[in-house]
Amino acid sequence: MRQEESTNKPHQSQAVTHVHSASYDFFVLVLTLYSFIVAALLLLGSEPATDAVLPRVDLIICFLFFIDFLLNIRGAPDKASYVFKQGGWLDLLGSVPAVPGLPWTLLFRLARLNRLIRIIRHLRGKSSQDLFSETRNSPARTLLLTTTIFAIVLITITSLFILRFERGATGATITNGANAFWWAFVTVTTVGYGDYVPVSYLGRIVAMVLMAFGIGVFAVLTNFVAVKLGRIRDDSEDVDAIVREENAIILAELAEIKKLLKQQGAEDYQAD
């Protein structure tokens, strides 16, 4: 009996935290590994361009991890167990941004190891066939999550390169990390305000590469929204079909009852 209870405990703890698909787990896994790279570069403080751009990238990663914490706690059957026993408080701590002027706050990133270990254990508990089928059953979501990771890496790299090429160029407007990050984000989303533009030859090459990939990122986002709207429409049509079918059944039953009442009334009249 005790052995049976002990074997059930891991399944219960697993159900507390793992409420996502395999594609989402892969997304968080890659994002966690990438966040460690960003944190390491920030701790090393290699050059001004890196120190100017990476804090903004880290802020986006922290925001995504905070959303992940909210999704975990919302989907957990036992929220208190997730927070205090399954390391949910570490997930929350790992989503806290670094405080400017206090480099030691980057050590909060070590709390993300809890999320990393949990996801690896979860993925190792499934066969490769199950993982493949889960990702195949939701291709739009898998593509969106993959594109999100790609967009974050792309914005990081292009921000670093554009700042390196534009800083010091004659007539340059992209001269600090905030401008470089803003320019990369606006460009990859195909908005293109035009408030910051590259003026150097190498900077324009970076811009062309970013714009080319930005079209693909925007296309994936548009496809995901279209798929979601299509599913909502299909669900609405299914509900309407069910309602019409039930109404038809009710009307048929009412007609049958009316027919029986007429027959009963005719029989009573003849009897009188």
Side-chain angles (χ1 to χ4, degrees):
M1 185 67 179
R2 291 182 179 178
Q3 184 177 3
E4 183 179 356
E5 291 178 355
S6 62
T7 55
N8 288 335
K9 286 182 179 180
H11 296 287
Q12 292 174 355
S13 63
Q14 188 177 21
V16 170
T17 54
H18 295 107
V19 294
H20 305 296
S21 62
S23 58
Y24 183 83
D25 281 341
F26 278 121
F27 166 76
V28 177
L29 176 65
V30 176
L31 185 65
T32 304
L33 294 175
Y34 185 66
S35 70
F36 287 143
I37 297 175
V38 173
L41 292 175
L42 286 173
L43 284 174
L44 293 176
S46 56
E47 60 178 24
T50 302
D51 296 339
V53 172
L54 292 186
R56 292 163 177 83
V57 177
D58 182 70
L59 190 62
I60 290 182
I61 294 175
C62 289
F63 174 75
L64 293 176
F65 279 136
F66 181 69
I67 296 298
D68 175 66
F69 168 77
L70 294 180
L71 293 176
N72 286 337
I73 198 170
R74 187 188 69 173
D78 189 348
K79 295 176 174 52
S81 179
Y82 162 65
V83 173
F84 298 106
K85 295 182 180 180
Q86 304 302 318
W89 65 275
L90 289 173
D91 293 344
L92 180 60
L93 183 63
S95 64
V96 176
V99 179
L102 299 176
W104 58 268
T105 55
L106 286 171
L107 296 176
F108 290 163
R109 304 299 175 268
L110 295 177
R112 296 172 184 173
L113 288 172
N114 175 71
R115 179 186 280 108
L116 182 66
I117 295 173
R118 185 177 67 240
I119 292 177
I120 291 176
R121 287 178 177 175
H122 180 227
L123 294 176
R124 289 183 62 184
K126 294 184 177 182
S127 63
S128 57
Q129 184 177 1
D130 292 337
L131 294 175
F132 178 75
S133 62
E134 285 186 23
T135 54
R136 185 182 58 183
N137 291 335
S138 56
R141 178 185 300 176
T142 302
L143 184 59
L144 176 66
L145 295 175
T146 304
T147 305
T148 302
I149 287 290
F150 176 76
I152 294 174
V153 176
L154 183 64
I155 289 174
T156 304
I157 295 175
T158 53
S159 298
L160 292 173
F161 275 102
I162 200 69
L163 184 58
R164 175 176 294 182
F165 295 148
E166 290 295 302
R167 179 178 288 177
T170 303
T173 57
I174 306 175
T175 57
N176 55 56
N179 294 345
F181 185 82
W182 168 255
W183 170 84
F185 186 85
V186 170
T187 304
V188 80
T189 55
T190 69
V191 175
Y193 280 116
D195 47 355
Y196 298 103
V197 293
V199 296
S200 65
Y201 177 75
L202 293 177
R204 290 176 178 177
I205 292 178
V206 173
M208 288 188 292
V209 172
L210 183 58
M211 285 185 286
F213 282 111
I215 296 174
V217 172
F218 185 76
V220 170
L221 178 61
T222 304
N223 176 69
F224 180 78
V225 173
V227 169
K228 285 297 183 181
L229 291 178
R231 289 180 179 176
I232 294 174
R233 184 186 62 185
D234 293 340
D235 293 341
S236 177
E237 292 177 353
D238 292 340
V239 171
D240 292 340
I242 294 174
V243 171
R244 287 194 298 268
E245 183 179 355
E246 291 180 350
N247 288 338
I249 294 174
I250 294 173
L251 291 176
E253 291 178 350
L254 290 175
E256 186 67 22
I257 293 173
K258 185 177 180 181
K259 181 179 179 181
L260 292 175
L261 290 175
K262 286 184 178 180
Q263 291 178 355
Q264 184 66 32
E267 292 176 357
D268 293 341
Y269 178 77
Q270 291 176 359
D272 294 339

